Amino acid sequence: MHSSQTTPIGEQRNTLYPVFLKVRNLHVLIVGGGNVAEEKLRFLLKSSPDAKVTMISPMYREETIKLAEEHQVTMLNGKYHKKLLKGKHIVIATTDKPKVNIKVYNHCRKRDKLVNVADNPPYCDFYMGGIVTKGHVKVAISTNGQSPTTAKRLRQFFEEVIPDKVDDLVQNLNEYRKTIKGDFEEKVETLNEFTKGLVEKKEA
């Protein structure tokens, strides 16, 4: 027998599962060519400049065209059609026509494509959260689709507190890891001990 009680707001949690996608190996389709489309494209390319992207729209902003040309983005002129989904892995719908966006969503669901309808959480399989990148270190921030502004502020916070030299540490530890002898468990224990100082709180 299932309980009909709702979860108190204070006990709600983010159940999204974070992953880091190699979008150079995937094919992304962005439906739309306006401000939101450019924002999504810019966000994607900032994190993954080598992403494989196709856009479809009857028109594009000049800045969008410039950005797309810099990153070899394929730009198609015309209206969305479900045939465009062939060979695509991820789809982002950004048009100002809700009916078109919902159509994109339904087509993707039938074809097992991951889809994000901009600014419409119920029609999203994933969210594009705040991202902090320091060389090999990347931190993704999600507010479960509730507050992009909070994600932005948290991103700014982590960009300030995570030192730029953290990438040197990562690369040095990678080289150090190769020199450690023993089985996997022993190596993990050695690295844990070696990096313990990174998270220990200093005594006041």
Side-chain angles (χ1 to χ4, degrees):
M1 184 175 178
H2 295 287
S3 171
S4 61
Q5 287 184 322
T6 57
T7 305
I9 291 179
E11 296 180 16
Q12 290 181 357
R13 61 194 296 265
N14 188 330
T15 58
L16 299 172
Y17 187 80
V19 296
F20 291 89
L21 300 171
K22 294 181 178 180
V23 284
R24 67 176 179 273
N25 297 337
L26 304 174
H27 202 150
V28 181
L29 173 68
I30 297 178
V31 181
N35 287 319
V36 179
E38 183 181 320
E39 178 186 273
K40 298 297 184 183
L41 177 64
R42 195 172 295 280
F43 185 87
L44 180 63
L45 294 177
K46 180 181 178 182
S47 185
S48 304
D50 55 355
K52 190 186 300 182
V53 184
T54 295
M55 300 183 75
I56 176 68
S57 176
M59 56 76 65
Y60 295 96
R61 301 177 70 251
E62 286 187 17
E63 286 300 314
T64 307
I65 295 173
K66 181 180 177 182
L67 179 64
E69 289 177 345
E70 290 173 357
H71 293 270
Q72 290 76 54
V73 171
T74 300
M75 305 185 80
L76 304 176
N77 290 288
K79 294 182 178 180
Y80 164 79
H81 191 279
K82 60 185 177 182
K83 289 182 180 179
L84 291 165
L85 297 179
K86 185 176 181 180
K88 308 303 187 297
H89 303 96
I90 299 170
V91 181
I92 303 169
T94 70
T95 78
D96 57 2
K97 298 178 181 178
K99 286 186 178 180
V100 173
N101 291 338
I102 301 304
K103 181 191 292 186
V104 173
Y105 173 81
N106 288 330
H107 287 166
C108 288
R109 296 302 292 165
K110 288 180 181 179
R111 292 163 178 77
D112 298 324
K113 312 287 184 182
L114 288 175
V115 59
N116 172 289
V117 176
D119 300 321
N120 201 335
Y123 293 92
C124 292
D125 292 324
F126 65 94
Y127 301 130
M128 300 176 76
I131 294 176
V132 179
T133 303
K134 301 277 185 172
H136 287 290
V137 176
K138 181 164 288 189
V139 178
I141 303 162
S142 166
T143 58
N144 210 13
Q146 301 298 305
S147 178
T149 301
T150 301
K152 177 183 177 180
R153 295 305 177 202
L154 286 171
R155 174 181 59 78
Q156 292 171 338
F157 170 76
F158 283 113
E159 281 179 341
E160 290 182 10
V161 299
I162 298 175
D164 291 332
K165 290 186 178 180
V166 71
D167 194 46
D168 294 336
L169 173 65
V170 170
Q171 296 193 58
N172 289 337
L173 280 177
N174 183 45
E175 293 302 317
Y176 176 59
R177 177 178 59 85
K178 296 174 184 176
T179 68
I180 301 173
K181 296 181 179 180
D183 59 20
F184 177 77
E185 196 170 311
E186 290 174 319
K187 289 184 177 183
V188 169
E189 188 175 338
T190 302
L191 285 171
N192 281 341
E193 186 64 29
F194 191 76
T195 58
K196 190 167 59 176
L198 291 173
V199 294
E200 283 185 341
K201 293 182 179 179
K202 293 182 180 179
E203 296 294 334

